[in-house]
């Protein structure tokens, strides 16, 4: 159980009762004097924070609100944090009722609204964006999930986030990140100090740095990443819409035959196989594994080559760009664009059931029912919930379609994340620190729970996200919900603190003094992700349960239930913000075609989709 330690601030005798062991420790080890309104700047954790921004002084916060210092679940539960939305009308049949305001759901909604459709987005929580939302605490703006954004460039066709925003007349100021990731990897005979690699924005600089670390694999490095460019350049020449719509596909084949054939040839292939064609050094192959694992949560042999092409090249082409104001600005702007076009979003709208008429092949989704009993009717229902939530909870009253049983054989839930959001004194960061880091101490435990550490410091790119004199350090690591079950409330709180303390210590390998420099901390577990993101087991998304055929097994947006579509990371091409934006483009396009609002060639459409359904239902 967390010890409630009656530590007294040296100058506030008796007034500060701090529950956080960490804070207590800091108070005990400081020569700080709290003067009631302002702290003296002579300790190793307060510094300019205390002097220049008394409001952010943790001592004062803790005195005023002892609970502010308690480590607790992340994300706001305060109803005043609810984003503005009025109750959406229910006496109306919408073109689409969209369950969830993740980026997949919002992209579908805005793409449809931009074409004149009337939609409603029903969000259970109080902010938009799901795992790509952000929340505010004590002067900090914390990104709920990762702060690393692809797809925000200005050229080509793969700048999907830029395009989604511009479809509803919005744009975002972004800050270019000079590196994608700074890797801190295990030591070996060849790299006794540890393998240290930075993925520079400029492709040639990255390839040169990696080749210097593996001079005997210079050719292999060039050829492997070169093949990724073949995939990316093909993607980046196509207009990206629904792969379930043959008229569009034929048009793209006619305009860009080589690009389409290239992509078709890569659909069944995995990154590990391509890497092994060119690279023999086991340490370099482990590097390719972590290059995949850190966004797909599986090793290279289970990561589709098309996705690797996208990630390994867009970081150099459009670059990694941080949205000024925080990742949640993307969702906030999409919501603005949606509302400006006369469509609706309602928060605290918990969808309990998808309403279905008919049986078997005649099943048709016609609306949804909220927990408060209200019914929203729609010509289409689009679920941005995971497939597990959609078919096992929202459709629990219906028989599971065969295609969904097959999906469950091919894919399983990935782990969730343990997430530590901290505010730290700015001077703990050595000059030249990069924004995103991956730490692996031992290749053998890279995939174990809490084995790989992810660190993001978004305030290096946008300092307005935290109070003056501080930075945000977000530490996260894959973990399973089972590790957090069957704990009493005090056990749960204590475990969160212990695990967070241990992870922060490990990050000290490259940020010495981090523990002492921490002035704010909140910890989220897989349970937090399950509760606030409404994702089964808090999962980050589907991962193949056996060696996949590239992306061929991943379902598109239509489902076996007529009028019901899925969008988000449970659909092609999987996890990632720009991936779910693609899924949203495809979903909106397919729904609009099905509703006669975009042109199709009826016979061809029918034939092609029967073929896709046959493939999807194939055991
Ligand atoms: N850097 C990055 O690339 C980055 C950063 C953050 C997130 N992501 C990605 O975003 C992906 C997830 O996006 P997504 O679009 O699939 O969705 P999501 O899981 O982020 O959002 C789904 C939303 O639906 C809501 N919801 C679920 N069930 C509901 C119900 N019954 N009633 C009402 N609302 C409900 C949830 O509250 C949530 O807001 C992840 O795969 C992750 O990779 C990536
Ligand atoms: C017939 C048919 C069907 C076909 C034919 C052929 C063709 C035309 C084809 C086409 C195809 C296509 C178009 C495809 C597309 C694809 C795509 C768009 C993809 C995308 C992808 C993306 C991705 C994957 C992304 C991802 C990302 C991520 C996940 C991220 C994450 C991050 C994180 C986690 C963070 C990290 C951190 C640190 C390091 C700190």
């Amino acid at each position: 159980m967390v010890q409630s330690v009656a530590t007294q601030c040296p100058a506030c005798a008796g007034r500060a009762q701090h529950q956080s062991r960490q804070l207590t420790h800091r108070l005990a080890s400081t020569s700080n004097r709290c003067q009631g309104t302002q702290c003296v700047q002579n300790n190793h954790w307060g510094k300019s924070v205390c002097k220049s921004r008394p409001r952010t002084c943790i001592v004062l916060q803790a005195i005023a609100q002892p609970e502010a210092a308690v480590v607790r679940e992340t994300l706001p539960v305060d109803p005043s944090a609810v984003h503005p939305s009025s109750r959406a009308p229910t006496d109306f049949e919408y073109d689409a009722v969209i369950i969830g305001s993740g980026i997949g759901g919002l992209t579908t909604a805005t793409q449809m609204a931009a074409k004149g459709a009337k939609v409603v987005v029903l969000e259970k929580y109080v902010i938009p964006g799901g795992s790509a939302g952000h929340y505010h605490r004590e002067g900090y703006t914390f990104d709920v999930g990762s702060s690393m954004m692809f797809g925000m460039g200005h050229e080509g066709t793969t700048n999907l986030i830029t395009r989604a925003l511009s479809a509803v007349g919005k744009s975002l100021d972004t800050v270019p990140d000079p590196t994608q990731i700074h890797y801190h990897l295990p030591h070996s005979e060849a790299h006794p100090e540890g393998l240290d690699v930075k993925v520079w924005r400029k492709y040639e600089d990255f390839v040169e740095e990696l080749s210097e670390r593996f001079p005997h694999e210079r050719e292999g490095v060039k050829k492997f990443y070169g093949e990724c460019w073949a995939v990316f350049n093909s993607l980046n020449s196509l207009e990206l819409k629904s792969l379930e719509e043959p008229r569009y596909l034929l048009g793209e084949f006619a305009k860009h035959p080589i690009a389409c054939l290239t992509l078709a040839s890569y659909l069944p292939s995995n990154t590990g196989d391509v890497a092994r064609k060119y690279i023999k050094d086991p340490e370099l192959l482990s590097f390719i594994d972590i290059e995949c694992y850190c966004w797909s949560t599986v090793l290279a042999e289970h990561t589709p080559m098309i996705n690797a092409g996208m990630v390994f090249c867009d970081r150099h082409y459009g670059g990694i760009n941080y949205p000024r104001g925080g990742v949640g600005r993307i969702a906030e702007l999409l919501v603005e664009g949606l509302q400006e076009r006369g469509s609706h979003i309602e928060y605290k709208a918990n969808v309990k059931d998808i309403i279905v008429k008919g049986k078997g092949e005649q099943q048709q989704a016609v609306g949804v029912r909220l927990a408060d009993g209200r019914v929203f009717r729609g010509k289409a229902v689009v679920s941005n919930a995971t497939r597990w939530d959609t078919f096992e909870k929202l459709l629990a009253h219906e028989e599971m379609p065969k295609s969904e049983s097959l999906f469950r054989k091919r894919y399983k839930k990935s782990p969730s994340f343990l997430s530590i959001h901290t505010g730290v004194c700015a001077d703990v960061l050595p000059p030249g620190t990069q924004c995103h880091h991956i730490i692996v101490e031992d290749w053998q435990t890279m995939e174990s729970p809490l084995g790989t550490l992810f660190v993001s410091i978004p305030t290096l790119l946008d300092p307005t996200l935290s109070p003056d004199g501080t930075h945000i350090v977000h530490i996260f690591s894959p973990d399973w919900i089972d590790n957090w079950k069957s704990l009493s409330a005090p056990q749960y709180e204590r475990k969160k603190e212990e695990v967070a303390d241990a992870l922060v210590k490990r990050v000290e390998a490259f940020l010495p003094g981090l523990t002492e420099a921490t002035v704010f901390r909140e910890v989220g577990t897989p349970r937090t992700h399950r509760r606030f993101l409404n994702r089964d087991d808090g999962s980050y998304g589907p991962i193949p349960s056996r060696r996949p055929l590239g992306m061929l097994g991943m379902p598109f947006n239509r489902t076996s239930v007529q009028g019901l579509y899925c969008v988000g990371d449970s659909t092609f091409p999987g996890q990632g913000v720009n991936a779910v934006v693609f899924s949203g483009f495809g979903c909106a396009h397919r729904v609009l075609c099905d509703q006669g609002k975009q042109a199709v060639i009826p016979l061809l459409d029918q034939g092609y989709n029967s073929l896709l359904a046959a493939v999807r239902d194939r055991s």
Side-chain angles (χ1 to χ4, degrees), residues 145-150 158 160 180-183 234-235 238-241 243-244 248-249 252-253 259-265 267 293-297 303-304 306-308 310-311 417 435-438 453-457 474 476 540 551-552 556 572-583 608 612:
S146 136
S147 303
M148 182 188 292
M149 288 297 125
F150 299 81
T158 49
L160 294 166
Q180 181 216 6
I181 298 180
H182 181 176
Y183 286 106
S234 303
L235 276 176
L238 303 187
E239 192 189 352
L240 298 175
K241 285 191 176 182
L243 299 184
E244 287 179 288
Y248 146 75
L249 268 181
E252 291 304 306
F253 263 98
C260 289
L261 289 172
T262 306
L263 289 172
S265 71
L267 275 175
Y293 180 80
C294 71
W295 50 271
S296 68
T297 64
T303 302
I306 291 200
N307 283 352
M310 184 79 173
V311 171
F417 277 92
C435 177
H436 300 289
H437 302 260
I438 287 284
L453 297 183
F454 299 58
V455 181
S456 291
I457 313 170
H474 180 196
F476 50 116
Y540 170 68
M551 300 177 89
L552 285 180
F556 296 116
F572 184 99
Q575 289 98 330
V577 170
N578 58 342
V580 300
V581 171
F582 175 77
S583 155
Y608 175 72
L612 280 186

Side-chain angles (χ1 to χ4, degrees), residues 283-309:
E283 192 182 5
L284 183 53
L285 287 171
S286 297
F287 176 79
I288 305 295
D289 275 334
I290 188 65
E291 277 258 86
C292 291
Y293 180 80
C294 71
W295 50 271
S296 68
T297 64
V298 287
L299 302 184
E301 64 167 354
H302 281 180
T303 302
M305 182 61 185
I306 291 200
N307 283 352

